[in-house]
Amino acid sequence: NAGVMQNPRHLVRRRGQEARLRCSPMKGHSHVYWYRQLPEEGLKFMVYLQKENIIDESGMPKERFSAEFPKEGPSILRIQQVVRGDSAAYFCASSPPELVVTQYFGPGTRLLVL
Amino acid sequence: AQSVTQLDSQVPVFEEAPVELRCNYSSSVSVYLFWYVQYPNQGLQLLLKYLSGSTLVKGINGFEAEFNKSQTSFHLRKPSVHISDTAEYFCAVSAPFGNEKLTFGTGTRLTIIP
């Protein structure tokens, strides 16, 4: 049973470009969470999604950030017009519907904005 | 809302010595508690969790933690550490029926000295 997959593992963007981060949850998991880890800090919750629904986006910046989890395919975290402050590690986690409380993390995408 | 405090940002320990990593939380409701480990440039791996029941929880790699409700603590312990335990350790909480999003502490960097 493959774990949570994230790609790319490393992403370099110039200021003003768009960044697309992908997350494929573990098989059978229908809940996806995105977290951001700034340098030398802990992880901060961004958004919680189920298939085709955003359940809680209270941690998402109001502008430039969006997330989706379509019926088919991976969850996508999209950052438009990136700025240097967006440089961070972005982690995705998934959980099964019968044990939502336990989250399994992917390896993360490290975004560097030049 | 919940919060987590990890009092020690760095803990150096000699190999084969015992270690305790401290975690205190604040919450107006009952909580679930977790410890995750992050090896360099990797994602988070679940060490152990407390959901209910026995306050002493055993996890992987020889770690254990004790939930103390009166002191709102969930300290992580290992009786004898190895070089391979060198990593960042994060304590996290979530609230039942609160969308299960995790609130993390700022982490403790455990360094094992040969």
Side-chain angles (χ1 to χ4, degrees):
Chain A
N1 188 10
V4 178
M5 312 274 284
Q6 289 188 250
N7 66 80
R9 294 289 305 274
H10 299 273
L11 182 62
V12 180
R13 286 288 178 266
R14 297 192 181 279
R15 281 177 294 169
Q17 292 183 320
E18 178 180 287
R20 280 186 179 237
L21 288 61
R22 294 175 187 76
C23 168
S24 296
M26 290 177 69
K27 187 177 180 180
H29 288 196
S30 55
H31 300 248
V32 166
Y33 300 78
W34 285 93
Y35 294 83
R36 177 165 64 174
Q37 184 179 31
L38 293 169
E40 306 300 321
E41 293 187 18
L43 282 74
K44 295 283 196 298
F45 167 79
M46 298 181 75
V47 62
Y48 164 38
L49 310 106
Q50 295 178 24
K51 287 281 187 181
E52 298 185 283
N53 283 306
I54 297 175
I55 307 301
D56 182 348
E57 55 181 350
S58 58
M60 287 275 273
K62 292 289 184 278
E63 298 177 351
R64 302 188 297 109
F65 285 72
S66 62
E68 62 176 6
F69 189 16
K71 187 176 180 181
E72 302 290 338
S75 174
I76 306 286
L77 179 67
R78 183 182 177 205
I79 311 172
Q80 295 178 289
Q81 299 176 328
V82 296
V83 301
R84 288 215 173 115
D86 297 333
S87 294
Y90 292 83
F91 291 96
C92 166
S94 72
S95 60
E98 70 276 9
L99 195 62
V100 180
V101 67
T102 301
Q103 296 178 26
Y104 298 87
F105 281 79
T109 293
R110 281 149 183 85
L111 172 66
L112 176 61
V113 179
L114 300 177
Chain B
Q2 297 82 41
S3 66
V4 177
T5 301
Q6 291 183 248
L7 293 167
D8 306 303
S9 59
Q10 296 189 52
V11 174
V13 180
F14 285 103
E15 194 174 12
E16 298 184 7
V19 68
E20 178 180 85
L21 304 183
R22 296 181 292 170
C23 172
N24 289 88
Y25 69 92
S26 174
S27 177
S28 56
V29 299
S30 60
V31 295
Y32 298 140
L33 293 152
F34 307 83
W35 275 98
Y36 284 86
V37 59
Q38 184 180 31
Y39 299 103
N41 295 316
Q42 294 188 29
L44 276 71
Q45 181 181 7
L46 181 65
L47 274 178
L48 47 79
K49 61 187 176 187
Y50 171 79
L51 305 182
S52 65
S54 173
T55 57
L56 183 62
V57 179
K58 293 191 183 297
I60 62 171
N61 301 342
F63 285 94
E64 64 180 31
E66 186 156 18
F67 170 56
N68 187 318
K69 188 174 181 179
S70 62
Q71 297 187 8
T72 60
S73 67
F74 191 55
H75 300 332
L76 181 71
R77 302 186 186 99
K78 186 170 182 178
S80 175
V81 296
H82 303 283
I83 290 288
S84 59
D85 293 324
T86 296
E88 189 94 18
Y89 291 79
F90 292 97
C91 181
V93 302
S94 68
F97 312 111
N99 286 335
E100 318 303 346
K101 61 187 178 186
L102 293 167
T103 299
F104 285 87
T106 50
T108 297
R109 184 160 298 171
L110 177 62
T111 302
I112 308 303
I113 305 165

